[in-house]
Amino acid sequence: MKSRGVYETPGGTILYHAHNKLEELCLDKETYHYKQQIALKFADLVYNGQWFTPLRQALSAFVDSTQETVTGDVKLKLYKGNIIDAGVTSPYSLYDEEIATFDEDEVYNQADSAGFINLFGLPIKVQAKKGLTYDK
């Protein structure tokens, strides 16, 4: 039988927030989002006492591989129960100031976005042309 209780872990909350900031900086968007989904299933397995299952082992292997480049320094400000981001750096940061620009330059051709949007939206365009909708 399990009992319901209130558990406060301010240190854990701070560490979790800091680690999440590093993941945002060091992981690509798809891996980061999928890892967030995995975290929910992982928590369910642990809560339900299923630590020694093949699924938990497989999820751990995935998470371990995503964490190979998640390292760096995170600065946070703590004020009246709030965690305020104050900076994050990592040698594995996927942010590159030379590439992250909206100005015209030699790094990125703004016209490339039109092709991406067309390709990414193609399945939806085909669905609409065939009259396939899910709001019937």
Side-chain angles (χ1 to χ4, degrees):
M1 176 178 275
K2 293 188 178 219
S3 65
R4 300 267 177 209
V6 176
Y7 307 100
E8 293 185 9
T9 57
T13 300
I14 294 165
L15 285 172
Y16 184 84
H17 185 93
H19 188 82
N20 188 58
K21 290 295 152 192
L22 283 172
E23 287 183 329
E24 287 177 358
L25 186 66
C26 299
L27 298 177
D28 64 277
K29 180 179 125 181
E30 291 299 321
T31 303
Y32 175 72
H33 287 168
Y34 196 73
K35 198 257 177 189
Q36 287 179 315
Q37 292 174 10
I38 294 295
L40 297 174
K41 182 61 179 174
F42 195 98
D44 278 343
L45 289 173
V46 172
Y47 184 80
N48 293 328
Q50 297 177 328
W51 181 261
F52 297 104
T53 63
L55 178 57
R56 198 279 310 156
Q57 290 175 327
L59 294 179
S60 287
F62 170 80
V63 171
D64 288 347
S65 72
T66 67
Q67 301 304 296
E68 290 175 0
T69 60
V70 178
T71 187
D73 296 310
V74 179
K75 293 180 184 176
L76 303 170
K77 293 181 181 182
L78 307 177
Y79 182 72
K80 292 187 176 184
N82 295 302
I83 302 173
I84 303 160
D85 302 330
V88 59
T89 59
S90 172
Y92 300 104
S93 171
L94 296 183
Y95 176 77
D96 185 338
E97 197 171 297
E98 296 294 319
I99 295 173
T101 175
F102 290 101
D103 296 331
E104 288 192 28
D105 52 36
E106 300 300 317
V107 176
Y108 174 72
N109 182 352
Q110 301 293 328
D112 290 345
S113 63
F116 171 78
I117 292 167
N118 287 333
L119 286 175
F120 196 72
L122 188 58
I124 303 303
K125 185 184 271 187
V126 170
Q127 181 184 28
K129 282 185 176 181
K130 292 188 172 207
L132 302 172
T133 61
Y134 297 104
D135 59 352
K136 294 180 181 176

